[in-house]
Amino acid sequence: MSLEDLGEVISNRVLGGIPFVGREDYIRDEIPAIYSKPEVLGTRFILIGEPDAAGYYLEADGGRSQLTNLSAEQIRSALVDISSLVAHLLKGVEGLEVKIEDIRLE
């Protein structure tokens, strides 16, 4: 499945039809990437990767500039892991295997 095809699946099944755009923006340097536009609750979803053995990676980028008035503890306490929900919504898509990684707090 191509990056754009998977973006369309995620758009329809997870983001209520919000499209993925911007491959030509090279937001992840040399790695192909597309992102949701408009943002969802102030969050841009970014789909990264190629149709190879490494697969794709979906991340939610909340824009750290919006969080400048919050302490590190307030940010950590507000984090919610929606990986299982996203995996459930993508369940049953032919040719798609979903793996969940742990959230890494920095």
Side-chain angles (χ1 to χ4, degrees):
M1 185 176 303
S2 73
L3 181 67
E4 287 77 10
D5 289 343
L6 182 55
E8 187 173 337
V9 169
I10 293 170
S11 168
N12 292 328
R13 288 184 168 239
V14 179
L15 300 179
I18 293 173
F20 279 84
V21 300
R23 184 177 185 136
E24 65 282 350
D25 295 341
Y26 300 102
I27 62 171
R28 291 295 184 259
D29 296 323
E30 298 298 318
I31 303 170
I34 54 180
Y35 55 91
S36 61
K37 189 170 183 178
E39 294 179 350
V40 179
L41 296 174
T43 302
R44 178 171 69 168
F45 287 84
I46 303 170
L47 183 59
I48 306 160
E50 299 184 78
D52 58 18
Y56 298 100
Y57 182 78
L58 179 65
E59 69 179 43
D61 179 11
R64 303 220 186 262
S65 63
Q66 300 170 0
L67 306 175
T68 55
N69 295 327
L70 299 177
S71 70
E73 182 55 36
Q74 288 172 313
I75 293 170
R76 270 192 289 281
S77 69
L79 291 177
V80 176
D81 183 356
I82 62 169
S83 302
S84 296
L85 173 61
V86 172
H88 176 73
L89 293 171
L90 294 174
K91 186 177 180 178
V93 175
E94 188 175 329
L96 183 63
E97 177 184 349
V98 178
K99 294 182 182 180
I100 299 173
E101 294 183 10
D102 291 332
I103 292 179
R104 286 167 262 141
L105 300 177
E106 299 173 6

